């Protein structure tokens, strides 16, 4: 019976992967609508033939890896339950220590290590393709260092989260999810507060923007937007990637506006100011705080659904998995599987909200800079640097895109330019 369920799960995974391959490479239409042919939104007007070919190839590969990776993780969690491996990890942990907290840490280490090993091929394949298409400039040793940092940062974070969850399960049999939700609120805010000053520097070097003339222009924009900013930070990313990026991170006094050095090297001042105005739009519209509020609401619903499904699933399959009850640490793969599926199912909604906020930030940047031409050039340069599709397939857009498509962003800038000229 166990082998039959395992085989069904593996077959389902391969059928899904085949379907996504056929969709992305043979069915999905990424062509620009006829009405935009020859406009600034048409990639043929700002990419050469080789760049057009590479952007389609790389985007399709990257999208396929995304859709294969998530179900692959689900398959791992399911099989580790089904074959009793999770129960074996728990037995080893109990033999090592009589303390529940230490048992949890030991169990989590073995589960994290198994997950790291099993998912490593996907991570390495993604790295190889990014190197092949010259998106990544990172040498293997540096990339591997980041992977190991990811492992230990993830393990430390998960250790705190999992300990709290299973302690609440043991203390509150039926309402553990509510206690976990209440505790998750200050924890999430705390993590956002320390992210820019504790975690991010583990991966890269951050320092104040070296171009003081440009910093003065950026801070002038910030002053115009009533943003209490004293510094703009740049981060050394050129040793890892050719892609361009800028972002706002953190909350309160630890919030930072960050520019990748690749962005500074490849964009002119007007384009950089447009990007900065976009990031300031997030601050002015309080998107970070709205995002926290939305996350809190989603966590409430997600934990409630997870609790119901875990009780139902463990009660029905626990004997087969050798998992005695929901509060046993060996049930963790079930928790991770359910929450991962729920997050994926919710991603069309969360991505839609994110795209709306990004659209608002684009609009703010256009109004603040009054330079739509810089906006168009910025979006075209971002497309070229990341080998992105201007008009991605529908499923890719709703499941992957937290930003509007480049077609939508360039058209918005062009429409704004037309409105300005008419006025």
């Amino acid at each position: 019976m166990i082998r039959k369920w395992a085989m069904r799960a593996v077959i389902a995974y391969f059928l899904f992967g085949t379907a996504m391959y056929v969709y992305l490479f043979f069915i999905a239409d990424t062509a620009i609508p006829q009405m935009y042919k020859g406009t600034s939104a048409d990639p043929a007007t700002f990419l050469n033939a080789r760049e057009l070919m590479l952007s389609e190839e790389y985007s399709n590969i990257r999208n396929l890896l995304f859709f294969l990776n998530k179900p692959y993780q689900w398959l791992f969690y399911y099989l580790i339950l089904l074959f009793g491996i999770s129960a074996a990890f728990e037995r080893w942990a109990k033999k090592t220590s009589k303390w529940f907290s230490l048992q949890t840490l030991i169990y989590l280490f073995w589960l994290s290590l198994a997950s790291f090993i099993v998912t490593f091929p996907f991570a390495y394949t993604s790295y190889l393709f990014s190197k092949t298409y010259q998106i990544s400039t990172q040498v293997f040793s540096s990339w591997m260092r980041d992977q190991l940092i990811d492992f230990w940062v993830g393990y430390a974070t998960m250790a705190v989260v999992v300990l709290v969850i299973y302690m609440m399960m043991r203390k509150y049999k039926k309402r553990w999810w509510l206690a976990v939700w209440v505790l998750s609120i200050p924890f999430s805010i705390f993590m956002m507060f320390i992210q820019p000053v504790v975690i991010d520097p583990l991966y890269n070097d951050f320092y104040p923007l070296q171009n003081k003339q440009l910093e003065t222009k950026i801070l002038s924009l910030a002053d115009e937007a009533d943003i209490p900013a004293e510094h703009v930070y740049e981060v050394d990313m050129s040793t890892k990637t050719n892609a361009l990026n800028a972002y706002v991170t953190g909350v309160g006094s630890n919030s930072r506006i960050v520019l990748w050095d690749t962005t500074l090297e490849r964009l002119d001042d007007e384009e950089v100011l447009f990007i900065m105005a976009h990031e300031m739009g997030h601050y002015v519209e309080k998107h970070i705080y709205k995002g926290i509020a939305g996350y809190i609401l989603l966590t409430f619903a997600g934990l409630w659904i997870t609790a119901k499904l875990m009780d139902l699933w463990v009660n029905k399959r626990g004997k087969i998995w050798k998992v005695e009850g929901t509060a046993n640490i060996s049930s963790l793969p079930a928790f991770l599987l359910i929450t991962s599926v729920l997050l994926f199912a919710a991603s069309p909604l969360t991505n839609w909200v994110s795209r709306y906020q990004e659209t608002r930030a684009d609009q703010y940047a256009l109004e603040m800079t009054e330079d739509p031409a810089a906006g168009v050039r910025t979006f075209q340069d971002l497309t070229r640097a990341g080998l992105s599709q201007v008009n991605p397939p529908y499923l890719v857009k709703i499941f992957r895109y937290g930003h509007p498509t480049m077609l939508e962003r360039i058209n918005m800038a062009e429409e704004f330019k037309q409105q300005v000229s008419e006025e």
Side-chain angles (χ1 to χ4, degrees), residues 145-393:
R145 173 182 174 273
D146 284 350
Q147 296 300 303
L148 294 175
I149 291 174
D150 275 342
F151 174 84
W152 288 112
V153 169
Y155 174 74
T157 305
M158 282 293 291
V160 175
V161 172
V162 171
L163 269 172
V164 170
I165 289 173
Y166 279 84
M167 283 180 176
M168 294 302 101
M169 283 182 178
R170 290 157 69 93
K171 186 172 183 179
Y172 306 104
K173 301 293 185 183
K174 298 295 183 182
R175 302 290 182 183
W176 63 266
W177 62 272
L178 185 58
V180 170
W181 176 72
V182 171
L183 293 172
S184 73
I185 297 173
F187 178 78
S188 300
I189 296 173
F190 173 73
M191 290 300 295
M192 292 189 70
F193 190 81
I194 69 169
Q195 177 86 25
V197 294
V198 176
I199 298 177
D200 289 348
L202 294 174
Y203 298 88
N204 299 100
D205 295 325
F206 290 79
Y207 36 85
L209 183 61
Q210 295 179 351
N211 186 336
K212 296 304 177 184
Q213 186 176 1
L214 178 58
E215 184 179 47
T216 299
K217 294 179 182 178
I218 294 172
L219 293 178
S220 178
L221 279 180
D223 183 63
E224 184 181 340
D226 294 324
I227 297 174
E230 296 182 0
H231 296 288
V232 178
Y233 291 87
E234 62 177 287
V235 55
D236 178 19
M237 289 296 295
S238 56
T239 58
K240 295 185 178 182
T241 182
N242 284 317
L244 313 179
N245 196 18
Y247 59 90
V248 176
T249 185
V251 294
S253 61
N254 278 17
S255 60
R256 288 183 175 183
I257 297 176
V258 180
L259 277 163
W260 287 9
D261 62 343
T262 51
T263 303
L264 294 166
E265 291 168 3
R266 298 177 63 176
L267 300 186
D268 59 41
D269 283 6
E270 287 73 22
E271 292 172 274
V272 172
L273 289 174
F274 182 86
I275 289 177
M276 286 294 92
H278 171 97
E279 299 304 332
M280 291 172 191
H282 286 303
Y283 181 93
V284 172
E285 300 248 345
K286 297 180 171 56
H287 288 161
I288 291 178
Y289 300 101
K290 291 176 181 177
I292 293 173
Y295 172 79
I296 290 171
L297 289 175
L298 280 177
T299 302
F300 179 87
L303 284 171
W304 178 76
I305 296 172
T306 300
K308 298 297 181 183
L309 292 178
M310 275 194 74
D311 284 340
L312 181 65
W313 208 6
V314 172
N315 288 337
K316 187 175 182 180
R317 303 294 186 193
K319 289 184 179 179
I320 298 173
W321 300 339
K322 299 180 178 63
V323 176
E324 296 177 7
T326 302
N328 284 69
I329 189 63
S330 53
S331 71
L332 180 59
F335 177 89
L336 295 174
L337 172 56
I338 293 169
T339 54
S340 180
V341 171
L342 290 177
L343 285 170
F344 185 78
S347 60
L349 173 62
T350 56
N351 285 339
W352 177 83
V353 172
S354 177
R355 289 195 299 272
Y356 172 77
Q357 292 182 337
E358 295 295 339
T359 300
R360 294 284 298 174
D362 282 347
Q363 185 66 36
Y364 183 88
L366 289 167
E367 294 173 356
M368 170 172 263
T369 63
E370 296 183 341
D371 192 356
V376 170
R377 294 198 309 274
T378 299
F379 299 139
Q380 291 175 340
D381 287 340
L382 288 171
T383 301
R384 182 181 296 106
L387 292 181
S388 305
Q389 290 171 314
V390 171
N391 188 34

Side-chain angles (χ1 to χ4, degrees), residues 121-160:
F122 267 99
Y124 184 63
T125 300
S126 180
Y127 166 71
L128 283 182
F129 276 115
S130 65
K131 286 281 287 185
T132 301
Y133 286 86
Q134 298 182 348
I135 300 299
S136 174
T137 60
Q138 194 171 18
V139 297
F140 176 78
S141 59
S142 173
W143 177 81
M144 196 66 214
R145 173 182 174 273
D146 284 350
Q147 296 300 303
L148 294 175
I149 291 174
D150 275 342
F151 174 84
W152 288 112
V153 169
Y155 174 74
T157 305
M158 282 293 291
V160 175

